[in-house]
mmCIF file with all atom_site columns, all heavy atoms in Angstrom:
data_model
loop_
_atom_site.group_PDB
_atom_site.id
_atom_site.type_symbol
_atom_site.label_atom_id
_atom_site.label_alt_id
_atom_site.label_comp_id
_atom_site.label_asym_id
_atom_site.label_entity_id
_atom_site.label_seq_id
_atom_site.pdbx_PDB_ins_code
_atom_site.Cartn_x
_atom_site.Cartn_y
_atom_site.Cartn_z
_atom_site.occupancy
_atom_site.B_iso_or_equiv
_atom_site.pdbx_formal_charge
_atom_site.auth_seq_id
_atom_site.auth_comp_id
_atom_site.auth_asym_id
_atom_site.auth_atom_id
_atom_site.pdbx_PDB_model_num
ATOM 1  N N   . GLY X 1 56 ? 8.110  -48.863 10.557 1.00 86.00 ? 75 GLY X N   1
ATOM 2  C CA  . GLY X 1 56 ? 6.681  -48.556 10.364 1.00 86.00 ? 75 GLY X CA  1
ATOM 3  C C   . GLY X 1 56 ? 6.275  -47.294 11.092 1.00 86.00 ? 75 GLY X C   1
ATOM 4  O O   . GLY X 1 56 ? 5.603  -46.419 10.534 1.00 86.00 ? 75 GLY X O   1
ATOM 5  N N   . VAL X 1 57 ? 6.718  -47.196 12.361 1.00 87.00 ? 76 VAL X N   1
ATOM 6  C CA  . VAL X 1 57 ? 6.385  -46.014 13.154 1.00 87.00 ? 76 VAL X CA  1
ATOM 7  C C   . VAL X 1 57 ? 6.942  -44.761 12.482 1.00 87.00 ? 76 VAL X C   1
ATOM 8  O O   . VAL X 1 57 ? 6.268  -43.735 12.370 1.00 87.00 ? 76 VAL X O   1
ATOM 9  C CB  . VAL X 1 57 ? 6.958  -46.150 14.579 1.00 87.00 ? 76 VAL X CB  1
ATOM 10 C CG1 . VAL X 1 57 ? 6.772  -44.844 15.349 1.00 87.00 ? 76 VAL X CG1 1
ATOM 11 C CG2 . VAL X 1 57 ? 6.302  -47.288 15.318 1.00 87.00 ? 76 VAL X CG2 1
ATOM 12 N N   . PHE X 1 58 ? 8.157  -44.901 11.981 1.00 87.00 ? 77 PHE X N   1
ATOM 13 C CA  . PHE X 1 58 ? 8.825  -43.746 11.378 1.00 87.00 ? 77 PHE X CA  1
ATOM 14 C C   . PHE X 1 58 ? 8.075  -43.269 10.125 1.00 87.00 ? 77 PHE X C   1
ATOM 15 O O   . PHE X 1 58 ? 7.725  -42.093 9.993  1.00 87.00 ? 77 PHE X O   1
ATOM 16 C CB  . PHE X 1 58 ? 10.267 -44.119 11.031 1.00 87.00 ? 77 PHE X CB  1
ATOM 17 C CG  . PHE X 1 58 ? 11.023 -43.009 10.366 1.00 87.00 ? 77 PHE X CG  1
ATOM 18 C CD1 . PHE X 1 58 ? 11.293 -41.825 11.045 1.00 87.00 ? 77 PHE X CD1 1
ATOM 19 C CD2 . PHE X 1 58 ? 11.442 -43.133 9.055  1.00 87.00 ? 77 PHE X CD2 1
ATOM 20 C CE1 . PHE X 1 58 ? 11.981 -40.808 10.432 1.00 87.00 ? 77 PHE X CE1 1
ATOM 21 C CE2 . PHE X 1 58 ? 12.127 -42.120 8.435  1.00 87.00 ? 77 PHE X CE2 1
ATOM 22 C CZ  . PHE X 1 58 ? 12.405 -40.948 9.122  1.00 87.00 ? 77 PHE X CZ  1
ATOM 23 N N   . ILE X 1 59 ? 7.796  -44.189 9.201  1.00 88.00 ? 78 ILE X N   1
ATOM 24 C CA  . ILE X 1 59 ? 7.158  -43.829 7.935  1.00 88.00 ? 78 ILE X CA  1
ATOM 25 C C   . ILE X 1 59 ? 5.754  -43.267 8.176  1.00 88.00 ? 78 ILE X C   1
ATOM 26 O O   . ILE X 1 59 ? 5.388  -42.202 7.643  1.00 88.00 ? 78 ILE X O   1
ATOM 27 C CB  . ILE X 1 59 ? 7.075  -45.050 6.997  1.00 88.00 ? 78 ILE X CB  1
ATOM 28 C CG1 . ILE X 1 59 ? 8.450  -45.639 6.749  1.00 88.00 ? 78 ILE X CG1 1
ATOM 29 C CG2 . ILE X 1 59 ? 6.373  -44.671 5.693  1.00 88.00 ? 78 ILE X CG2 1
ATOM 30 C CD1 . ILE X 1 59 ? 9.155  -45.170 5.530  1.00 88.00 ? 78 ILE X CD1 1
ATOM 31 N N   . THR X 1 60 ? 4.979  -43.994 8.999  1.00 90.00 ? 79 THR X N   1
ATOM 32 C CA  . THR X 1 60 ? 3.616  -43.503 9.245  1.00 90.00 ? 79 THR X CA  1
ATOM 33 C C   . THR X 1 60 ? 3.665  -42.167 9.958  1.00 90.00 ? 79 THR X C   1
ATOM 34 O O   . THR X 1 60 ? 2.881  -41.260 9.654  1.00 90.00 ? 79 THR X O   1
ATOM 35 C CB  . THR X 1 60 ? 2.813  -44.502 10.094 1.00 90.00 ? 79 THR X CB  1
ATOM 36 O OG1 . THR X 1 60 ? 3.569  -44.792 11.277 1.00 90.00 ? 79 THR X OG1 1
ATOM 37 C CG2 . THR X 1 60 ? 2.502  -45.760 9.320  1.00 90.00 ? 79 THR X CG2 1
ATOM 38 N N   . GLY X 1 61 ? 4.607  -42.007 10.878 1.00 88.00 ? 80 GLY X N   1
ATOM 39 C CA  . GLY X 1 61 ? 4.731  -40.731 11.595 1.00 88.00 ? 80 GLY X CA  1
ATOM 40 C C   . GLY X 1 61 ? 5.030  -39.588 10.638 1.00 88.00 ? 80 GLY X C   1
ATOM 41 O O   . GLY X 1 61 ? 4.455  -38.504 10.748 1.00 88.00 ? 80 GLY X O   1
#
Side-chain angles (χ1 to χ4, degrees):
Chain X
V76 173
F77 178 65
I78 303 266
T79 53

